[in-house]
Amino acid sequence: MKNSPFFIVLKIATLLVFAGRAWQHLFWDAPYRSFFWDEALLKPVIEGFFETPWHLYATNPVIDQNVQRLVFGYGILYAIATIAVLFTTKRTIKFTRFPIVLGSLGLLLLAILTTKEKFYHLAQFFEHSIQIGIPLALVYILQNHHSNNIHLLLKTLIALTFCAHGLYAIGIYPVPGNFVDLLINSIGCSEHQAITLLYIAGMLDLLLVPLLFFSKTSSYALWYATIWGLLTAFARVWANFDMDFILISLHQHLHLTLFRLAHGLVPLATLLLILKEKTHIEHPSDSKSMLYILLSQKPETSE
């Protein structure tokens, strides 16, 4: 499996997630201040334990500098995780798994902080499912000879991510303004048309969830997720691209595309895995694999 197209695409998706997040943290910002500047949460600790008035803490430039150092430190972690993924093989996984897993835990913390910043909308947290999960899936595959359930894990991550997108797009949660702006800037539609298109896309995202888990419809659902996931990722650059300031435009928005490309690449990887398994069943390479298929096949599902 490690040299299969499925594994290569999954590895590229994981690498791009870490690379995009490293870029974000090293050059831009992340929502760590939503925790450190939360008066309701930290004021009792700051004034009670540290005996420091809240207004002095909140206006202390040293605190802000330390938060920025923390953001930069996570950027270094994601950069190391990117390199680890690049050089990860079955032989090196015992060395590279630590930064990869640590990077995944960092992405989990980032999802929690982003959710906090967005008024604790659960959909905001589950929107990060693919990004958090695929580094762990990569490590799992390399450490286990038999990964029969990996496609179920990947489908679950895809379902959670697209369901979260859909809930925002149809208005269960307030429709994000950047969703509307992306459509307007990408295809030149009106605001009303953008909201209507988002609603349709959101309904398709929600319909995708059950279709993923039925064998007869999963391939169609995965193709939709692949195309839509890649389009929405590239829209971050396309909608904000300025020919007069090419490098600045790319620097500001390319990282947003990088870590979202996984939303299209993971469905593609899952498609490749299903195709590989189907081909292996229909055209076993030797008698040993044929014997394994015959022994493992249930009578009610045999054809």
Side-chain angles (χ1 to χ4, degrees), residues 3-27:
N3 294 320
S4 67
F6 155 74
F7 179 78
I8 293 171
V9 173
L10 188 67
K11 186 173 179 179
I12 291 172
T14 308
L15 187 148
L16 291 176
V17 167
F18 282 136
R21 291 301 184 183
W23 192 333
Q24 173 191 357
H25 284 67
L26 292 175
F27 298 104

PDB file of all heavy atoms in Angstrom, residues 3-27:
ATOM      1  N   ASN A   3       3.400   2.211  -1.636  1.00  0.00           N
ATOM      2  CA  ASN A   3       3.821   2.768  -2.915  1.00  0.00           C
ATOM      3  C   ASN A   3       2.642   2.961  -3.867  1.00  0.00           C
ATOM      4  O   ASN A   3       2.837   3.265  -5.034  1.00  0.00           O
ATOM      5  CB  ASN A   3       4.863   1.846  -3.572  1.00  0.00           C
ATOM      6  CG  ASN A   3       6.161   1.802  -2.772  1.00  0.00           C
ATOM      7  OD1 ASN A   3       6.612   2.818  -2.258  1.00  0.00           O
ATOM      8  ND2 ASN A   3       6.742   0.620  -2.657  1.00  0.00           N
ATOM      9  N   SER A   4       1.435   2.777  -3.380  1.00  0.00           N
ATOM     10  CA  SER A   4       0.254   2.881  -4.219  1.00  0.00           C
ATOM     11  C   SER A   4      -0.111   4.343  -4.448  1.00  0.00           C
ATOM     12  O   SER A   4       0.264   5.223  -3.664  1.00  0.00           O
ATOM     13  CB  SER A   4      -0.914   2.150  -3.563  1.00  0.00           C
ATOM     14  OG  SER A   4      -1.290   2.825  -2.363  1.00  0.00           O
ATOM     15  N   PRO A   5      -0.860   4.631  -5.527  1.00  0.00           N
ATOM     16  CA  PRO A   5      -1.337   6.004  -5.745  1.00  0.00           C
ATOM     17  C   PRO A   5      -2.130   6.532  -4.553  1.00  0.00           C
ATOM     18  O   PRO A   5      -2.052   7.720  -4.228  1.00  0.00           O
ATOM     19  CB  PRO A   5      -2.217   5.868  -6.995  1.00  0.00           C
ATOM     20  CG  PRO A   5      -1.664   4.682  -7.712  1.00  0.00           C
ATOM     21  CD  PRO A   5      -1.213   3.737  -6.647  1.00  0.00           C
ATOM     22  N   PHE A   6      -2.903   5.652  -3.899  1.00  0.00           N
ATOM     23  CA  PHE A   6      -3.654   6.065  -2.706  1.00  0.00           C
ATOM     24  C   PHE A   6      -2.722   6.640  -1.649  1.00  0.00           C
ATOM     25  O   PHE A   6      -2.960   7.733  -1.114  1.00  0.00           O
ATOM     26  CB  PHE A   6      -4.412   4.865  -2.134  1.00  0.00           C
ATOM     27  CG  PHE A   6      -4.713   4.988  -0.665  1.00  0.00           C
ATOM     28  CD1 PHE A   6      -5.701   5.859  -0.212  1.00  0.00           C
ATOM     29  CD2 PHE A   6      -3.996   4.240   0.260  1.00  0.00           C
ATOM     30  CE1 PHE A   6      -5.963   5.980   1.150  1.00  0.00           C
ATOM     31  CE2 PHE A   6      -4.263   4.367   1.616  1.00  0.00           C
ATOM     32  CZ  PHE A   6      -5.242   5.234   2.057  1.00  0.00           C
ATOM     33  N   PHE A   7      -1.667   5.915  -1.338  1.00  0.00           N
ATOM     34  CA  PHE A   7      -0.752   6.352  -0.285  1.00  0.00           C
ATOM     35  C   PHE A   7      -0.035   7.641  -0.678  1.00  0.00           C
ATOM     36  O   PHE A   7       0.146   8.545   0.142  1.00  0.00           O
ATOM     37  CB  PHE A   7       0.277   5.254   0.015  1.00  0.00           C
ATOM     38  CG  PHE A   7       1.261   5.629   1.073  1.00  0.00           C
ATOM     39  CD1 PHE A   7       0.910   5.588   2.411  1.00  0.00           C
ATOM     40  CD2 PHE A   7       2.540   6.050   0.735  1.00  0.00           C
ATOM     41  CE1 PHE A   7       1.823   5.955   3.401  1.00  0.00           C
ATOM     42  CE2 PHE A   7       3.451   6.410   1.713  1.00  0.00           C
ATOM     43  CZ  PHE A   7       3.085   6.362   3.050  1.00  0.00           C
ATOM     44  N   ILE A   8       0.360   7.747  -1.936  1.00  0.00           N
ATOM     45  CA  ILE A   8       1.066   8.947  -2.406  1.00  0.00           C
ATOM     46  C   ILE A   8       0.176  10.178  -2.285  1.00  0.00           C
ATOM     47  O   ILE A   8       0.613  11.233  -1.803  1.00  0.00           O
ATOM     48  CB  ILE A   8       1.539   8.745  -3.858  1.00  0.00           C
ATOM     49  CG1 ILE A   8       2.620   7.656  -3.919  1.00  0.00           C
ATOM     50  CG2 ILE A   8       2.077  10.057  -4.435  1.00  0.00           C
ATOM     51  CD1 ILE A   8       2.988   7.236  -5.319  1.00  0.00           C
ATOM     52  N   VAL A   9      -1.093  10.064  -2.695  1.00  0.00           N
ATOM     53  CA  VAL A   9      -2.014  11.201  -2.607  1.00  0.00           C
ATOM     54  C   VAL A   9      -2.268  11.565  -1.151  1.00  0.00           C
ATOM     55  O   VAL A   9      -2.302  12.749  -0.789  1.00  0.00           O
ATOM     56  CB  VAL A   9      -3.338  10.883  -3.332  1.00  0.00           C
ATOM     57  CG1 VAL A   9      -4.367  11.985  -3.096  1.00  0.00           C
ATOM     58  CG2 VAL A   9      -3.097  10.707  -4.832  1.00  0.00           C
ATOM     59  N   LEU A  10      -2.450  10.557  -0.295  1.00  0.00           N
ATOM     60  CA  LEU A  10      -2.674  10.820   1.125  1.00  0.00           C
ATOM     61  C   LEU A  10      -1.463  11.504   1.747  1.00  0.00           C
ATOM     62  O   LEU A  10      -1.608  12.427   2.564  1.00  0.00           O
ATOM     63  CB  LEU A  10      -2.979   9.519   1.858  1.00  0.00           C
ATOM     64  CG  LEU A  10      -3.420   9.667   3.313  1.00  0.00           C
ATOM     65  CD1 LEU A  10      -4.785  10.338   3.398  1.00  0.00           C
ATOM     66  CD2 LEU A  10      -3.461   8.300   4.007  1.00  0.00           C
ATOM     67  N   LYS A  11      -0.285  11.091   1.355  1.00  0.00           N
ATOM     68  CA  LYS A  11       0.939  11.697   1.876  1.00  0.00           C
ATOM     69  C   LYS A  11       1.061  13.145   1.411  1.00  0.00           C
ATOM     70  O   LYS A  11       1.441  14.034   2.199  1.00  0.00           O
ATOM     71  CB  LYS A  11       2.149  10.885   1.414  1.00  0.00           C
ATOM     72  CG  LYS A  11       3.474  11.324   2.017  1.00  0.00           C
ATOM     73  CD  LYS A  11       4.589  10.353   1.623  1.00  0.00           C
ATOM     74  CE  LYS A  11       5.920  10.798   2.198  1.00  0.00           C
ATOM     75  NZ  LYS A  11       7.013   9.855   1.847  1.00  0.00           N
ATOM     76  N   ILE A  12       0.747  13.406   0.158  1.00  0.00           N
ATOM     77  CA  ILE A  12       0.792  14.779  -0.358  1.00  0.00           C
ATOM     78  C   ILE A  12      -0.217  15.657   0.385  1.00  0.00           C
ATOM     79  O   ILE A  12       0.091  16.794   0.755  1.00  0.00           O
ATOM     80  CB  ILE A  12       0.505  14.790  -1.874  1.00  0.00           C
ATOM     81  CG1 ILE A  12       1.667  14.141  -2.638  1.00  0.00           C
ATOM     82  CG2 ILE A  12       0.275  16.221  -2.379  1.00  0.00           C
ATOM     83  CD1 ILE A  12       1.385  13.941  -4.118  1.00  0.00           C
ATOM     84  N   ALA A  13      -1.418  15.126   0.613  1.00  0.00           N
ATOM     85  CA  ALA A  13      -2.444  15.889   1.330  1.00  0.00           C
ATOM     86  C   ALA A  13      -1.968  16.247   2.734  1.00  0.00           C
ATOM     87  O   ALA A  13      -2.142  17.391   3.193  1.00  0.00           O
ATOM     88  CB  ALA A  13      -3.735  15.083   1.396  1.00  0.00           C
ATOM     89  N   THR A  14      -1.365  15.297   3.429  1.00  0.00           N
ATOM     90  CA  THR A  14      -0.862  15.545   4.782  1.00  0.00           C
ATOM     91  C   THR A  14       0.250  16.581   4.769  1.00  0.00           C
ATOM     92  O   THR A  14       0.283  17.499   5.610  1.00  0.00           O
ATOM     93  CB  THR A  14      -0.344  14.236   5.399  1.00  0.00           C
ATOM     94  OG1 THR A  14      -1.345  13.225   5.294  1.00  0.00           O
ATOM     95  CG2 THR A  14       0.009  14.434   6.866  1.00  0.00           C
ATOM     96  N   LEU A  15       1.152  16.450   3.816  1.00  0.00           N
ATOM     97  CA  LEU A  15       2.253  17.401   3.702  1.00  0.00           C
ATOM     98  C   LEU A  15       1.737  18.817   3.467  1.00  0.00           C
ATOM     99  O   LEU A  15       2.227  19.783   4.071  1.00  0.00           O
ATOM    100  CB  LEU A  15       3.181  16.966   2.562  1.00  0.00           C
ATOM    101  CG  LEU A  15       4.486  17.744   2.375  1.00  0.00           C
ATOM    102  CD1 LEU A  15       5.575  16.811   1.845  1.00  0.00           C
ATOM    103  CD2 LEU A  15       4.312  18.897   1.390  1.00  0.00           C
ATOM    104  N   LEU A  16       0.725  18.968   2.608  1.00  0.00           N
ATOM    105  CA  LEU A  16       0.188  20.288   2.296  1.00  0.00           C
ATOM    106  C   LEU A  16      -0.535  20.909   3.490  1.00  0.00           C
ATOM    107  O   LEU A  16      -0.483  22.129   3.690  1.00  0.00           O
ATOM    108  CB  LEU A  16      -0.762  20.197   1.101  1.00  0.00           C
ATOM    109  CG  LEU A  16      -0.102  19.886  -0.248  1.00  0.00           C
ATOM    110  CD1 LEU A  16      -1.157  19.728  -1.335  1.00  0.00           C
ATOM    111  CD2 LEU A  16       0.889  20.963  -0.635  1.00  0.00           C
ATOM    112  N   VAL A  17      -1.206  20.074   4.298  1.00  0.00           N
ATOM    113  CA  VAL A  17      -1.851  20.592   5.497  1.00  0.00           C
ATOM    114  C   VAL A  17      -0.813  21.210   6.426  1.00  0.00           C
ATOM    115  O   VAL A  17      -0.965  22.354   6.893  1.00  0.00           O
ATOM    116  CB  VAL A  17      -2.619  19.476   6.236  1.00  0.00           C
ATOM    117  CG1 VAL A  17      -3.029  19.940   7.641  1.00  0.00           C
ATOM    118  CG2 VAL A  17      -3.861  19.078   5.456  1.00  0.00           C
ATOM    119  N   PHE A  18       0.249  20.476   6.701  1.00  0.00           N
ATOM    120  CA  PHE A  18       1.288  20.987   7.604  1.00  0.00           C
ATOM    121  C   PHE A  18       2.010  22.189   6.992  1.00  0.00           C
ATOM    122  O   PHE A  18       2.318  23.157   7.702  1.00  0.00           O
ATOM    123  CB  PHE A  18       2.281  19.884   7.936  1.00  0.00           C
ATOM    124  CG  PHE A  18       1.795  18.904   8.961  1.00  0.00           C
ATOM    125  CD1 PHE A  18       1.990  17.541   8.792  1.00  0.00           C
ATOM    126  CD2 PHE A  18       1.136  19.339  10.099  1.00  0.00           C
ATOM    127  CE1 PHE A  18       1.537  16.633   9.740  1.00  0.00           C
ATOM    128  CE2 PHE A  18       0.682  18.437  11.057  1.00  0.00           C
ATOM    129  CZ  PHE A  18       0.889  17.076  10.877  1.00  0.00           C
ATOM    130  N   ALA A  19       2.280  22.143   5.684  1.00  0.00           N
ATOM    131  CA  ALA A  19       2.970  23.257   5.035  1.00  0.00           C
ATOM    132  C   ALA A  19       2.130  24.527   5.081  1.00  0.00           C
ATOM    133  O   ALA A  19       2.641  25.623   5.369  1.00  0.00           O
ATOM    134  CB  ALA A  19       3.307  22.887   3.589  1.00  0.00           C
ATOM    135  N   GLY A  20       0.826  24.402   4.809  1.00  0.00           N
ATOM    136  CA  GLY A  20      -0.054  25.564   4.852  1.00  0.00           C
ATOM    137  C   GLY A  20      -0.167  26.148   6.249  1.00  0.00           C
ATOM    138  O   GLY A  20      -0.138  27.373   6.440  1.00  0.00           O
ATOM    139  N   ARG A  21      -0.278  25.290   7.246  1.00  0.00           N
ATOM    140  CA  ARG A  21      -0.367  25.775   8.622  1.00  0.00           C
ATOM    141  C   ARG A  21       0.957  26.368   9.085  1.00  0.00           C
ATOM    142  O   ARG A  21       0.968  27.343   9.861  1.00  0.00           O
ATOM    143  CB  ARG A  21      -0.798  24.631   9.541  1.00  0.00           C
ATOM    144  CG  ARG A  21      -2.237  24.178   9.341  1.00  0.00           C
ATOM    145  CD  ARG A  21      -3.220  25.316   9.562  1.00  0.00           C
ATOM    146  NE  ARG A  21      -4.615  24.861   9.466  1.00  0.00           N
ATOM    147  CZ  ARG A  21      -5.656  25.656   9.569  1.00  0.00           C
ATOM    148  NH1 ARG A  21      -5.493  26.959   9.744  1.00  0.00           N
ATOM    149  NH2 ARG A  21      -6.886  25.181   9.468  1.00  0.00           N
ATOM    150  N   ALA A  22       2.072  25.810   8.644  1.00  0.00           N
ATOM    151  CA  ALA A  22       3.373  26.395   8.978  1.00  0.00           C
ATOM    152  C   ALA A  22       3.482  27.799   8.399  1.00  0.00           C
ATOM    153  O   ALA A  22       3.919  28.745   9.088  1.00  0.00           O
ATOM    154  CB  ALA A  22       4.500  25.503   8.441  1.00  0.00           C
ATOM    155  N   TRP A  23       3.091  27.951   7.153  1.00  0.00           N
ATOM    156  CA  TRP A  23       3.110  29.263   6.491  1.00  0.00           C
ATOM    157  C   TRP A  23       2.250  30.257   7.264  1.00  0.00           C
ATOM    158  O   TRP A  23       2.665  31.399   7.525  1.00  0.00           O
ATOM    159  CB  TRP A  23       2.590  29.082   5.064  1.00  0.00           C
ATOM    160  CG  TRP A  23       2.783  30.241   4.145  1.00  0.00           C
ATOM    161  CD1 TRP A  23       2.886  31.559   4.471  1.00  0.00           C
ATOM    162  CD2 TRP A  23       2.884  30.181   2.715  1.00  0.00           C
ATOM    163  NE1 TRP A  23       3.028  32.332   3.343  1.00  0.00           N
ATOM    164  CE2 TRP A  23       3.036  31.508   2.253  1.00  0.00           C
ATOM    165  CE3 TRP A  23       2.848  29.132   1.794  1.00  0.00           C
ATOM    166  CZ2 TRP A  23       3.144  31.804   0.896  1.00  0.00           C
ATOM    167  CZ3 TRP A  23       2.960  29.432   0.442  1.00  0.00           C
ATOM    168  CH2 TRP A  23       3.110  30.761   0.003  1.00  0.00           C
ATOM    169  N   GLN A  24       1.045  29.828   7.625  1.00  0.00           N
ATOM    170  CA  GLN A  24       0.141  30.693   8.375  1.00  0.00           C
ATOM    171  C   GLN A  24       0.770  31.163   9.680  1.00  0.00           C
ATOM    172  O   GLN A  24       0.729  32.357  10.015  1.00  0.00           O
ATOM    173  CB  GLN A  24      -1.158  29.943   8.680  1.00  0.00           C
ATOM    174  CG  GLN A  24      -2.113  30.704   9.608  1.00  0.00           C
ATOM    175  CD  GLN A  24      -3.251  29.839  10.112  1.00  0.00           C
ATOM    176  OE1 GLN A  24      -3.380  28.669   9.746  1.00  0.00           O
ATOM    177  NE2 GLN A  24      -4.086  30.403  10.966  1.00  0.00           N
ATOM    178  N   HIS A  25       1.355  30.247  10.444  1.00  0.00           N
ATOM    179  CA  HIS A  25       1.870  30.577  11.768  1.00  0.00           C
ATOM    180  C   HIS A  25       3.191  31.348  11.713  1.00  0.00           C
ATOM    181  O   HIS A  25       3.450  32.188  12.582  1.00  0.00           O
ATOM    182  CB  HIS A  25       2.053  29.305  12.590  1.00  0.00           C
ATOM    183  CG  HIS A  25       0.779  28.729  13.113  1.00  0.00           C
ATOM    184  ND1 HIS A  25      -0.184  28.183  12.288  1.00  0.00           N
ATOM    185  CD2 HIS A  25       0.294  28.621  14.377  1.00  0.00           C
ATOM    186  CE1 HIS A  25      -1.200  27.754  13.021  1.00  0.00           C
ATOM    187  NE2 HIS A  25      -0.934  28.014  14.289  1.00  0.00           N
ATOM    188  N   LEU A  26       3.995  31.068  10.725  1.00  0.00           N
ATOM    189  CA  LEU A  26       5.294  31.739  10.638  1.00  0.00           C
ATOM    190  C   LEU A  26       5.180  33.169  10.121  1.00  0.00           C
ATOM    191  O   LEU A  26       5.955  34.051  10.523  1.00  0.00           O
ATOM    192  CB  LEU A  26       6.241  30.936   9.742  1.00  0.00           C
ATOM    193  CG  LEU A  26       6.699  29.579  10.288  1.00  0.00           C
ATOM    194  CD1 LEU A  26       7.538  28.839   9.247  1.00  0.00           C
ATOM    195  CD2 LEU A  26       7.499  29.758  11.581  1.00  0.00           C
ATOM    196  N   PHE A  27       4.214  33.426   9.234  1.00  0.00           N
ATOM    197  CA  PHE A  27       4.147  34.728   8.581  1.00  0.00           C
ATOM    198  C   PHE A  27       2.874  35.520   8.910  1.00  0.00           C
ATOM    199  O   PHE A  27       2.854  36.732   8.699  1.00  0.00           O
ATOM    200  CB  PHE A  27       4.263  34.562   7.065  1.00  0.00           C
ATOM    201  CG  PHE A  27       5.563  33.964   6.627  1.00  0.00           C
ATOM    202  CD1 PHE A  27       5.650  32.646   6.223  1.00  0.00           C
ATOM    203  CD2 PHE A  27       6.731  34.729   6.642  1.00  0.00           C
ATOM    204  CE1 PHE A  27       6.860  32.094   5.823  1.00  0.00           C
ATOM    205  CE2 PHE A  27       7.935  34.183   6.244  1.00  0.00           C
ATOM    206  CZ  PHE A  27       8.010  32.861   5.839  1.00  0.00           C
TER     207      PHE A  27
END
